[in-house]
Amino acid sequence: MSLKWHPYSLYETDTTRFWVHYGLVILGAVLALVTAVAQWRDPAPYGKHERKDQNWGPLIPQRLGHFLSDALPGVVLFVLVFVFYGTQNKNYINYIFLAMFLSHYVHRGIIHPLIMRYRNPRVAIGITLGGFFPNCLYHFVNADFIGSAEYHSNYYYDPRFIVGVILFCAGYVINRHSDLKLRSLRDTKDSINEQYQRTRSYDAMSNHTENKTENPGCTGYYVPYGGFFELVTCPNYFGELVEWIGWSLATWSFAGLVWTLFCAATFVPRARHNHAWYKSQFDSYPPNRKSLIPFLF
């Protein structure tokens, strides 16, 4: 019940494909290192870390940007590479991995943008491309691997597969639950803002004067509570990181490993900056809450 170390039988004769695959894997490892260093110093300029003094190109709708950066490489490209670039001798294990990957990216790239209330309805095209191109690289090598890897017919008994799938599912649940929590906070904020605007309109009609002591409304951020938010500032990142650790273990691939490293290179600095931001904005921010990993970091 072991996985062949060389996953492609065609590697015995097709050395070009071997070097294309592992050349891209090496490139992915280098990109993960560069990303970790760059983002540790300065947070990626979107969301609460968006800076008005930076020009990342023309603005496009945020929902479209999310679709381009996540759904196009994570769903469309992944399926095309799996089906047409992979080998023909796939078994059900390969299709289980395809379903796992798509379960994340159909939600992340299609459902999430449709239901999410964005703080800013538009995003710079440069920010979108900054996610699109790395995703294309990592998703290509992962689709290439699981579309051609020769897993033993009883691989579902292998501890790597069992533990990996459990971790993937656990991370998926944590990530989805945390995203729903954040969405509910934005819905609450929008409701309060709408109520405040109606109150201002009524006061303006009544007084034709401006009330200088009026509450400006809740237009900022809230401190999330409940679930893994009791332990870390960014449980959505923690959940996704657990997902991809499970993915790399279950697939037993260097492609999965470098994708996990790139995610860590993004999530660890981002969580650190988010944690520092919340502590600077809220005096009563829970002091025992960590940034990303419960009880550790």
Side-chain angles (χ1 to χ4, degrees), residues 110-233:
I110 299 176
I111 298 175
H112 182 79
L114 292 177
I115 65 175
M116 189 65 179
R117 291 196 177 190
Y118 292 101
R119 177 173 174 264
N120 190 336
R122 303 179 74 79
V123 65
I125 187 67
I127 300 297
T128 297
L129 295 178
F132 173 78
F133 288 115
N135 282 346
C136 285
L137 168 63
Y138 293 108
H139 297 348
F140 175 86
V141 294
N142 275 277
D144 180 22
F145 185 89
I146 69 163
S148 301
E150 296 181 357
Y151 294 96
H152 193 278
S153 59
N154 291 328
Y155 185 61
Y156 58 87
Y157 286 131
D158 194 295
R160 293 168 293 186
F161 179 77
I162 296 171
V163 175
V165 170
I166 290 173
L167 287 176
F168 184 91
C169 293
Y172 184 92
V173 171
I174 295 170
N175 181 261
R176 293 289 88 79
H177 179 266
S178 303
D179 277 347
L180 288 174
K181 276 281 185 182
L182 293 175
R183 181 171 178 260
S184 67
L185 286 178
R186 295 193 180 189
D187 290 343
T188 299
K189 182 181 72 174
D190 291 343
S191 177
I192 293 175
N193 286 338
E194 290 171 3
Q195 183 180 5
Y196 168 65
Q197 293 298 332
R198 288 196 298 269
T199 302
R200 288 201 62 178
S201 299
Y202 175 79
D203 290 343
M205 292 175 61
S206 302
N207 304 323
H208 302 290
T209 59
E210 184 178 1
N211 186 348
K212 298 296 184 182
T213 63
E214 193 170 24
N215 190 327
C218 187
T219 57
Y221 285 83
Y222 291 88
V223 176
Y225 291 95
F228 270 75
F229 280 106
E230 299 294 332
L231 301 176
V232 294
T233 297

Side-chain angles (χ1 to χ4, degrees), residues 12 59 66 72 107 111 126 156 176 179 245:
E12 298 175 0
L59 299 179
H66 213 145
L72 204 56
H107 187 280
I111 298 175
Y156 58 87
R176 293 289 88 79
D179 277 347
I245 291 173

